[in-house]
Amino acid sequence: MVEQKQAKSTLVIFSGELDKQMAAFNIAIGAASMGQEVTLFFTFWGINVLRKETLQLKNKSWFEKLFSLMMPRGPGGAVMSKMNMLGLGTAMMNWRMRQKNVAQLPQLIDLAKDLGVRLVACEMTMHIMGLTRDDLRDGVDYGGVASYIADTEQAHLNLFIS
Amino acid sequence: MVEQKQAKSTLVIFSGELDKQMAAFNIAIGAASMGQEVTLFFTFWGINVLRKETLQLKNKSWFEKLFSLMMPRGPGGAVMSKMNMLGLGTAMMNWRMRQKNVAQLPQLIDLAKDLGVRLVACEMTMHIMGLTRDDLRDGVDYGGVASYIADTEQAHLNLFIS
Amino acid sequence: MVEQKQAKSTLVIFSGELDKQMAAFNIAIGAASMGQEVTLFFTFWGINVLRKETLQLKNKSWFEKLFSLMMPRGPGGAVMSKMNMLGLGTAMMNWRMRQKNVAQLPQLIDLAKDLGVRLVACEMTMHIMGLTRDDLRDGVDYGGVASYIADTEQAHLNLFIS
C-alpha cells in the first residue's frame, strides 16, 4: 500500500516590494491550486504587507513609532522595486493590471488565504521592528527560524524572495 | 533494475539586472554541463533579456509603447544592480570581464541554449507589459505558473533570482 | 537496517547587504542547529563580507585597486538594502539590534563557523574582482559552480539570496 504524500512548498518573503510580493503570491496560489500545502514566511521588509492599514502607536518607543510611521502598512503601501518614479510607476502598473484584469496584491492575498496558504510572521523581525500581533492582520501565524527549517524539511519547493 | 532519473533544475529569473542574470546563467550552465535538465522561467523585469534588440511598436497601446521604450531590449541592455553609476560601472565590469576572458551575458545565453537549457517566457508578464511573441527572440517557450509548478515538482534544485 | 541520511542545505549569498546577509546567516544557523550540514556560497557582492578589514593593494592592477577601495571590507562594511539613508538607517538598525539583544552580523558569522557551517568563496568572482586568498578571512573554502551544483544535488534546501 502506497501512501501518497502531499507536496509542500515554502517561500520566505523578505521583500516588501509590490512586484516581488506579486510574484511570490502568484507562485503560492499556483502551488496551492495544484493541491500543495504552502507556507509563506514573512520576514524583514516583507512583513509590512501583513500590517493593518490603521496606524498603532500606543505603547511604542520612539524608535518603534518612527519605524511604524516610515514603513508601509498593508499591501496598499507596497511599491515597485524598479520604475517606482515617486509612485507614478507603481500607480501606472496598478492601473495597467486593473485594465488587463490581472489580480492585484490585496486580491492575491485573499485568494491565497481562501486556498489555505499559511501566512507566518517572523517573530524576530517583529521583535526588532517593535511590531506586536495587534499591528498585523488577522489570520496570521507566528514562528521563528526553527519552524521554518522544520517546514522546509518536508517541502520539495523552497524559495527565497529577496 | 534501477532506472536512473535525470536530475532537473528550475530557476525563476525575476531580475533583469546584469549581475543577477549572469549568476543565474552560470548556475544554469553548470547544472546543464553536469547532465541536468534545466528550465529558466523569465518573469517581470527578467523577461527583458529575451527581447529582440529592434524596437517593435506596431499595434501597441500608448502604455505598451511607453513600456517598450523604457525597458531594456536584450542582454546588451542589462545594467548592474549596484555600482551602475549611470552606466560607467556596467561598462567597466563588461570591460573587465572581456579582459579576464569571462563569458559575458550574450555568450552565456548562447551557451545555455547550446546545452539544451529551456528558456520559458512568463505569459502573464507578457500580458501585463503588452509584449507579443514577435518582441522576443527565437527559441523561447511560453508558459504560466502552472507549468512552472509542474516543473518544480520534478526538480531537486529550484531557485528564485530576484 | 535504515541508514539515516543527514539533511543538507546550501545558500548562495549573492547580496552583500546587511539585512540579506543577516537573513541568510539566521537560516544557516537555524539549519545547522537542527543538525544539518550547511554550505554557504559567497558570490558577487556577497563575497565582500568575507574580506579582511585591512586593505591590501599590493600587486593589484588599477582596476583591482579601485574595486578594493570601493567595495566594503568585512561584515562591518555591510549596509542595509533599504532605508540606509547615507548610513544613518544602518547605524540605527545596528543600535536597535544591540538594544534588543539580537546577534549582529559579525557574531552570526562566528556562530555559524562554530556550528560547522562551511563558507565557500566563489572563485570566478575572485577572478573578476581581482581578489586573492590573502584578501579573505581565514577558514574560508574556495570553489566554483561545479562544486556548488554537486552540493545542491545532495541537499534538500537550496536558496539564492540576491
Side-chain angles (χ1 to χ4, degrees):
Chain A
M1 207 155 64
V2 178
E3 201 191 330
Q4 183 71 31
K5 236 181 76 180
Q6 191 186 10
K8 294 185 187 182
S9 297
T10 74
L11 286 86
V12 176
I13 305 187
F14 176 92
S15 167
E17 290 159 330
L18 180 62
D19 43 359
K20 295 180 184 175
Q21 291 261 355
M22 287 194 61
F25 272 98
N26 274 308
I27 291 173
I29 287 166
S33 307
M34 292 167 82
Q36 293 190 26
E37 195 180 309
V38 183
T39 307
L40 305 183
F41 289 87
F42 293 84
T43 187
F44 237 91
W45 317 104
I47 214 168
N48 291 315
V49 86
L50 300 180
R51 286 180 70 193
K52 292 178 187 157
E53 286 187 28
T54 51
L55 188 60
Q56 335 232 11
L57 295 178
K58 242 200 302 195
N59 299 322
K60 289 197 192 287
S61 71
W62 68 268
F63 177 94
E64 292 162 359
K65 283 197 176 102
L66 188 65
F67 223 81
S68 292
L69 281 162
M70 292 176 79
M71 291 287 111
R73 296 194 296 280
V79 300
M80 288 205 298
S81 67
K82 304 280 160 202
M83 306 286 271
N84 181 43
M85 301 180 290
L86 302 173
L88 178 66
T90 297
M92 273 179 59
M93 184 59 78
N94 278 325
W95 167 83
R96 173 72 177 178
M97 290 191 292
R98 276 195 304 276
Q99 190 207 25
K100 299 297 271 185
N101 288 316
V102 174
Q104 289 180 267
L105 188 51
Q107 290 106 60
L108 290 175
I109 299 176
D110 292 343
L111 183 52
K113 290 285 297 173
D114 289 348
L115 287 166
V117 172
R118 235 178 112 222
L119 312 183
V120 181
C122 168
E123 287 173 325
M124 189 194 276
T125 302
M126 293 174 67
H127 181 62
I128 293 175
M129 297 197 174
L131 294 171
T132 66
R133 297 188 180 198
D134 276 348
D135 291 306
L136 302 192
R137 61 183 290 153
D138 294 333
V140 168
D141 292 333
Y142 298 88
V145 70
S147 77
Y148 166 66
I149 297 293
D151 276 6
T152 60
E153 289 184 356
Q154 308 294 324
H156 77 288
L157 173 63
N158 301 297
L159 301 177
F160 188 98
I161 315 291
S162 57
Chain B
M1 207 158 62
V2 179
E3 200 191 330
Q4 184 70 32
K5 233 181 77 181
Q6 192 186 9
K8 294 184 187 181
S9 298
T10 75
L11 287 86
V12 176
I13 305 188
F14 177 92
S15 167
E17 290 160 329
L18 180 62
D19 41 0
K20 295 178 183 174
Q21 291 261 356
M22 287 193 60
F25 273 97
N26 274 307
I27 291 173
I29 288 166
S33 308
M34 292 167 81
Q36 292 191 26
E37 195 180 310
V38 183
T39 307
L40 305 183
F41 289 88
F42 293 85
T43 187
F44 238 91
W45 317 104
I47 213 168
N48 290 316
V49 85
L50 299 180
R51 286 179 70 194
K52 291 178 189 156
E53 287 187 27
T54 50
L55 187 61
Q56 334 233 11
L57 296 177
K58 242 199 302 195
N59 299 322
K60 289 195 193 286
S61 70
W62 67 268
F63 177 94
E64 293 162 0
K65 283 197 177 102
L66 189 65
F67 224 81
S68 292
L69 281 162
M70 292 176 79
M71 290 288 111
R73 296 193 296 279
V79 300
M80 289 206 296
S81 66
K82 306 276 161 206
M83 306 286 272
N84 180 44
M85 302 181 289
L86 302 172
L88 178 66
T90 296
M92 272 179 59
M93 184 59 78
N94 278 325
W95 167 82
R96 174 70 177 179
M97 290 189 293
R98 277 194 303 277
Q99 189 205 24
K100 299 297 272 185
N101 289 315
V102 174
Q104 289 180 267
L105 188 51
Q107 290 107 60
L108 290 175
I109 298 175
D110 292 342
L111 184 51
K113 290 283 297 173
D114 289 348
L115 287 166
V117 172
R118 233 178 114 224
L119 312 182
V120 181
C122 167
E123 287 174 325
M124 187 194 276
T125 301
M126 293 175 68
H127 181 63
I128 294 176
M129 297 197 175
L131 293 171
T132 67
R133 297 188 179 198
D134 276 347
D135 291 305
L136 304 192
R137 61 184 290 155
D138 293 333
V140 168
D141 292 333
Y142 298 89
V145 70
S147 77
Y148 166 67
I149 297 293
D151 276 6
T152 61
E153 289 184 356
Q154 309 295 324
H156 77 286
L157 173 63
N158 300 298
L159 301 176
F160 188 97
I161 315 291
S162 56
Chain C
M1 208 158 62
V2 179
E3 200 192 329
Q4 185 71 32
K5 233 182 76 182
Q6 192 186 10
K8 295 184 187 182
S9 299
T10 74
L11 287 86
V12 176
I13 305 187
F14 177 92
S15 168
E17 290 160 329
L18 180 62
D19 41 1
K20 296 179 183 175
Q21 290 261 355
M22 288 194 59
F25 272 98
N26 274 307
I27 291 172
I29 288 166
S33 306
M34 291 168 82
Q36 292 190 28
E37 195 180 310
V38 184
T39 307
L40 306 182
F41 288 87
F42 294 84
T43 187
F44 239 89
W45 316 104
I47 214 169
N48 290 315
V49 85
L50 300 180
R51 286 180 70 194
K52 292 178 188 157
E53 287 187 27
T54 51
L55 188 60
Q56 335 233 10
L57 296 178
K58 242 199 303 194
N59 299 323
K60 289 197 193 286
S61 71
W62 68 268
F63 177 94
E64 293 162 1
K65 284 196 174 104
L66 188 65
F67 223 83
S68 291
L69 281 162
M70 292 176 79
M71 290 288 110
R73 296 192 296 279
V79 300
M80 289 206 297
S81 67
K82 305 278 160 205
M83 307 287 269
N84 181 44
M85 301 180 290
L86 300 174
L88 178 66
T90 297
M92 272 180 59
M93 184 58 78
N94 278 326
W95 167 83
R96 173 71 177 179
M97 290 190 292
R98 277 195 303 276
Q99 189 207 24
K100 299 297 270 184
N101 288 316
V102 174
Q104 289 179 268
L105 188 51
Q107 289 107 61
L108 290 175
I109 299 176
D110 291 343
L111 183 52
K113 290 284 297 174
D114 289 349
L115 287 167
V117 173
R118 233 177 114 223
L119 313 182
V120 181
C122 167
E123 287 173 327
M124 188 195 277
T125 302
M126 295 175 66
H127 181 63
I128 293 174
M129 297 196 175
L131 293 171
T132 66
R133 297 188 179 197
D134 275 348
D135 291 305
L136 303 191
R137 60 183 290 154
D138 294 333
V140 168
D141 292 333
Y142 298 88
V145 70
S147 78
Y148 166 67
I149 296 293
D151 276 7
T152 62
E153 289 184 356
Q154 309 295 324
H156 76 288
L157 173 64
N158 301 297
L159 301 176
F160 187 97
I161 315 291
S162 55

